Amino acid sequence: MSALRRAMAWVIDFALVVSVASLLAVLTFNRMSALVTDVPELAARGGFDLLTSRGDVLGASGTLGTSLWDRSVGYVQQAFVLLAVAAYLYQWACLALAGRTLGKALTGLKVTPRTPRRAALRAAVTTATDVVVYAVACVLLVEGEMLLSVLVWLAAVALFLLNALPVLGSRRRSLADRVAGTSVTAVRLSMPAAMSRVRTS
């Protein structure tokens, strides 16, 4: 089993994660746009803040702006949480039910042994290294924590490499494999079995 096949499987699986991220980005943008385009709600809130501001117009407008910003950041945070949950459920369900993700199935790979507990551990590590830590870095960036965001992003890169680079070694086991006690093996289909499948399809 070559590292190239593992890499191809990861690219396919990560492309699915990116697709989900794109859908969530569109949904989040529409939710944020609705905050601005909902003129009656903005007018009512702005008018109430103005009436209760005792002449502090700048303070009233600042309160409205802060409220919109907080809700927008909340939408972004929710999108990243949903992305992490979706990535975990995809990994866990595929591994627990079939012993392989779509990427591994297309490249002829399988995770063994296949048990719900091992699938849950492997999915957790994979999701953390591929999605969660990067998501935390992005949320920190949105919240204005630039330095902390960069540090977390560097930690995310280091964690990703810590998970991926061992695949190049002789044992071909990633960090996720070591934590879950699994290994990725190539699935070989014998020629007679392959021919019989072709005839019955």
Side-chain angles (χ1 to χ4, degrees):
M1 179 191 62
S2 66
L4 179 60
R5 290 170 71 180
R6 293 282 299 266
M8 289 175 60
W10 178 85
V11 168
I12 294 170
D13 290 331
F14 193 71
L16 293 176
V17 174
V18 171
S19 299
V20 174
S22 299
L23 292 175
L24 287 172
V26 172
L27 175 63
T28 302
F29 177 78
N30 289 335
R31 294 180 73 191
M32 292 169 65
S33 298
L35 286 176
V36 180
T37 56
D38 191 1
V39 178
E41 182 181 350
L42 283 178
R45 184 180 303 173
F48 178 77
D49 289 343
L50 183 62
L51 288 174
T52 58
S53 67
R54 297 185 179 181
D56 186 8
V57 178
L58 292 177
S61 61
T63 301
L64 177 60
T66 301
S67 174
L68 292 175
W69 173 255
D70 289 342
R71 290 178 67 179
S72 297
V73 171
Y75 291 161
V76 172
Q77 292 172 340
Q78 291 169 20
F80 278 117
V81 169
L82 287 175
L83 178 62
V85 170
Y88 173 80
L89 290 177
Y90 165 70
Q91 289 282 336
W92 175 78
C94 288
L95 295 177
L97 297 175
R100 60 178 74 180
T101 60
L102 179 61
K104 287 179 175 58
L106 293 176
T107 54
L109 301 175
K110 191 167 187 176
V111 176
T112 57
R114 176 168 62 94
T115 66
R117 179 180 174 278
R118 293 181 191 275
L121 284 173
R122 197 177 195 285
V125 176
T126 302
T127 304
T129 58
D130 289 354
V131 177
V132 174
V133 186
Y134 289 101
V136 171
C138 291
V139 168
L140 289 172
L141 182 62
V142 170
E143 291 182 346
E145 300 289 343
M146 181 71 70
L147 179 59
L148 189 55
S149 174
V150 171
L151 292 176
V152 173
W153 185 84
L154 291 174
V157 173
L159 190 59
F160 174 80
L161 294 176
L162 185 64
N163 183 48
L165 290 181
V167 174
L168 301 176
S170 58
R171 300 184 66 185
R172 307 287 189 201
R173 297 184 73 199
S174 65
L175 176 63
D177 287 320
R178 295 174 188 276
V179 171
T182 59
S183 59
V184 178
T185 58
V187 178
R188 294 182 180 178
L189 187 63
S190 63
M191 189 60 80
M195 292 301 294
S196 64
R197 287 193 179 185
V198 171
R199 288 172 185 169
T200 57
S201 61

